[in-house]
Amino acid sequence: MTSSYWDYVARRFGIMMLVVFLAVSINFALPRLMPGDPIENQLNQLMASGGGAMGDVGAMVASYRARFGLDQSILTQYLAYWQSVFSLDLGYSLTNYPERVGDAILAGLPWTLGLLGFATLVSFTIGTLLGGLMGWPRSPRFLKTFGSGVLLLSSVPYFLIGMILLYLFAVVFRIFPAGGGMPFGMSAGFNFETFRAIAWHATLPLLSIIIAEIGAWAIGMRGMMVSVLGEDYIALADAKGLKPKRIFLRYGMRNALLPQMTKLAMALGHIVSGAILVEVIFSYPGIGFRLYQAIQSKDYFVIQGIVLLLSVSIAVAMFILDLIYPLIDPRIAKGK
């Protein structure tokens, strides 16, 4: 590795740390800008459901605010928040006390990573290859016709596709379950029955994301492939008599992949946020559904914990991508 590469890495690391600092600060501020008091909101819900005998509500609100540190000044809360971030202790859920925020995140994270991670990688692989073939002038005609239909689906929101799939295959034909991560009452275990049940429940959410995302990946790759094919080195490779397969893979796909890799890193970083609507529609027990519930109930600490995870994952994903860029194109590290 050259000195210019390490200078490049140092600059990108500094940018990542700045992004994390800003993200954590904004993450602290945003829940507190929401109208209403979260403690009063929880007590009102408890009173409405008749779930507890209420006494002096004002004293209870003050007691709970002191318990969660919400009676301190904003600066004190901000410093305490940074301390909790460094110690990886994100506090308790206001809604499901005494559940810890870390436990809530860990409970939903595997579901979301499995669902969105698999769907993103499958849609990226199929969409990128399809887009490359659609932009390749020597591709069969049926591929371009098929690709046009796929591109049409990219304009349809994935949650709308999910609702259509849900109605057809869960309500009308009753082939797949309408919601949940696995059958009610089933105990999860490391065995075939558990994997089969999880895969069966994840089929419709997976299909809704994959169908909607393939077109978006294909559009980007097709545009880059058409642009790359106009470059002089493609004409030179063709004039040298290289095999079309080598020109397609070595000179076309490779040079057109750079923007796709950027989008992939951002898509992987947005996995948590991207799951919200799909998980809500299918009642999928992932972290996106938990974030939706936390926003509805103004559960400050759960919102902060999940958004913090989202922010850091995006920053780290972009940093890793920055490290990979110079390996694909060394001119990037030299600022050319």
Side-chain angles (χ1 to χ4, degrees):
M1 297 294 179
T2 63
S3 59
S4 61
Y5 176 79
W6 292 113
D7 291 341
Y8 169 83
V9 171
R11 289 197 303 272
R12 294 301 173 180
F13 182 76
I15 293 174
M16 182 191 73
M17 296 308 295
L18 177 62
V19 169
V20 170
F21 172 77
L22 293 175
V24 171
S25 300
I26 295 173
N27 185 30
F28 170 82
L30 283 180
R32 286 162 175 79
L33 295 176
M34 296 168 63
D37 187 295
I39 302 297
E40 290 185 7
N41 183 59
Q42 295 301 321
L43 290 177
N44 289 333
Q45 289 184 5
L46 188 62
M47 292 173 66
S49 63
M54 309 304 294
D56 187 348
V57 176
M60 294 181 65
V61 170
S63 174
Y64 277 105
R65 289 178 65 83
R67 173 68 182 83
F68 292 108
L70 297 175
D71 60 337
Q72 303 294 321
S73 67
I74 291 296
L75 178 59
T76 303
Q77 292 185 46
Y78 180 66
L79 295 176
Y81 178 58
W82 270 106
Q83 184 179 4
S84 67
V85 170
F86 283 118
S87 62
L88 298 180
D89 181 7
L90 302 176
Y92 294 92
S93 166
L94 295 175
T95 306
N96 299 311
Y97 183 82
E99 181 187 36
R100 303 191 73 87
V101 174
D103 294 336
I105 293 175
L106 289 177
L109 199 56
W111 295 97
T112 297
L113 290 180
L115 177 70
L116 269 294
F118 184 77
T120 300
L121 293 178
V122 169
S123 58
F124 167 79
T125 304
I126 298 176
T128 298
L129 183 59
L130 180 62
L133 291 172
M134 289 171 61
W136 184 241
R138 300 173 187 177
S139 295
R141 184 182 298 274
F142 78 90
L143 264 178
K144 299 182 178 181
T145 304
F146 174 73
S148 300
V150 174
L151 295 184
L152 182 63
L153 290 175
S154 67
S155 60
V156 182
Y158 57 83
F159 60 86
L160 182 58
I161 296 177
M163 293 174 67
I164 295 173
L165 293 177
L166 183 67
Y167 175 74
L168 289 177
F169 297 104
V171 177
V172 177
F173 300 112
R174 298 178 182 275
I175 298 175
F176 294 100
M182 56 192 305
F184 181 75
M186 180 179 179
S187 299
F190 196 76
N191 51 56
F192 175 75
E193 287 302 318
T194 299
F195 287 120
R196 189 177 69 86
I198 291 175
W200 196 243
H201 280 70
T203 299
L204 293 183
L206 277 174
L207 284 177
S208 64
I209 299 171
I210 290 174
I211 291 173
E213 291 294 325
I214 282 179
W217 290 113
I219 287 177
M221 190 62 188
R222 180 181 178 277
M224 283 306 302
M225 179 61 85
V226 170
S227 175
V228 165
L229 291 178
E231 298 291 338
D232 292 339
Y233 56 82
I234 295 290
L236 178 61
D238 196 30
K240 289 169 66 177
L242 299 181
K243 292 182 179 179
K245 181 180 178 181
R246 183 177 180 184
I247 298 175
F248 174 73
L249 294 176
R250 185 76 180 271
Y251 296 90
M253 290 290 287
R254 180 180 178 183
N255 289 287
L257 264 178
L258 209 58
Q260 291 289 94
M261 294 298 292
T262 304
K263 288 174 60 179
L264 176 62
M266 296 183 68
L268 291 174
H270 283 86
I271 274 180
V272 176
S273 61
I276 295 177
L277 290 177
V278 170
E279 292 182 358
V280 170
I281 291 172
F282 291 98
S283 301
Y284 200 75
I287 202 169
F289 185 55
R290 187 56 193 271
L291 177 60
Y292 168 76
Q293 292 177 315
I295 293 173
Q296 279 195 319
S297 59
K298 296 184 176 63
D299 197 338
Y300 280 6
F301 303 114
V302 173
I303 296 174
Q304 287 178 343
I306 295 176
V307 176
L308 174 66
L309 173 69
L310 171 64
S311 306
V312 172
S313 63
I314 293 174
V316 172
M318 295 305 297
F319 177 65
I320 294 174
L321 182 67
D322 285 336
L323 298 183
I324 296 175
Y325 269 157
L327 303 179
I328 300 175
D329 187 350
R331 294 174 300 176
I332 294 177
K334 299 176 181 177
K336 296 181 179 179

